[in-house]
Amino acid sequence: AGNVGGANATDTDLLRAKRTVRRRFIVGLTEEMKESIRRFNIVMGINDKTEKSHKRCMNKFFCEGIHHENSNPHPKIEEGHPAWDLLVEKNVFDVALYEFVLEIFKEQRGRIDSYADSTVTTPV
């Protein structure tokens, strides 16, 4: 993990990053793309009734059975593989932040769902 000016990241940097993520971000995960987009849409007040262009955009990126515009193939590296171990070793703070983001993703669901239940979205 890097830092401003190429300096190595520290435990303090990781704590700051975690605090910033918790306080300022609605997190999304590529492995949970549909759920992530659903959450972003709730927070931004976007729904199927807001605009037809929204539905076209969602279909372009998430429609089943076609090439997805937002995906690229990557080799899967399993945990325990030497390449995995090297990645973790070189990116220890990034891995820790990602694991924290996984926790935040779970925590935010209830909050976002309650937000969706308490707001009335009107068409734009």
Side-chain angles (χ1 to χ4, degrees):
N3 201 336
V4 176
N8 289 330
T10 66
D11 288 330
T12 301
D13 296 319
L14 177 60
L15 291 174
R16 284 183 184 144
K18 286 179 175 182
R19 185 177 60 233
T20 300
V21 167
R22 182 180 295 280
R23 290 181 180 173
R24 300 188 180 266
F25 289 89
I26 302 299
V27 299
L29 302 171
T30 56
E31 59 268 28
E32 294 282 349
M33 187 64 79
K34 285 185 180 182
E35 172 62 15
S36 298
I37 297 299
R38 183 190 75 83
R39 293 177 185 198
F40 299 149
N41 288 346
I42 289 170
V43 172
M44 293 185 292
I46 297 171
N47 61 40
D48 288 340
K49 297 174 186 152
T50 55
E51 287 188 36
K52 288 181 182 181
S53 63
H54 171 257
K55 192 162 199 140
R56 282 193 307 271
C57 178
M58 293 297 284
N59 286 338
K60 180 178 179 180
F61 287 100
F62 305 112
C63 201
E64 301 296 329
I66 63 171
H67 172 73
H68 296 153
E69 293 284 327
N70 67 334
S71 64
N72 296 301
H74 299 287
K76 186 160 179 91
I77 300 172
E78 298 292 331
E79 193 169 346
H81 187 278
W84 176 277
D85 296 339
L86 182 61
L87 284 168
V88 170
E89 179 184 325
K90 295 288 184 185
N91 299 286
V92 66
F93 290 113
D94 295 323
V95 171
L97 185 59
Y98 175 72
E99 289 170 350
F100 178 77
V101 166
L102 293 175
E103 293 172 25
I104 296 298
F105 187 79
K106 289 176 190 173
E107 289 176 16
Q108 287 181 345
R109 181 178 194 112
R111 193 170 343 139
I112 291 169
D113 287 346
S114 69
Y115 178 76
D117 293 341
S118 69
T119 61
V120 176
T121 49
T122 56
V124 176

